[in-house]
Amino acid sequence: MSCMRVLLAIIFPPLAVVDKGCGSFLITLLLTGCGWVPGVIAALVILNKDS
């Protein structure tokens, strides 16, 4: 997980996971719509899962 990805996940979570697949993007987008914090947490979990 690079520093740039972490910053992108904090600023705009769906954009950080766009290359992880459509499902990850949609889940993160939905959670970001519900609130910024759940979207950030989901993006960081998804990014950390592959590392």
Side-chain angles (χ1 to χ4, degrees):
M1 190 165 45
S2 69
C3 291
M4 186 61 106
R5 278 280 167 110
V6 172
L7 288 175
L8 193 57
I10 293 171
I11 295 169
F12 189 65
L15 194 56
V17 297
V18 74
D19 65 336
K20 301 295 181 185
C22 184
S24 296
F25 176 76
L26 290 176
I27 288 171
T28 309
L29 185 65
L30 179 69
L31 287 171
T32 303
C34 292
W36 176 75
V37 173
V40 170
I41 292 171
L44 290 174
V45 166
I46 290 169
L47 290 176
N48 196 26
K49 186 171 67 170
D50 290 339
S51 295

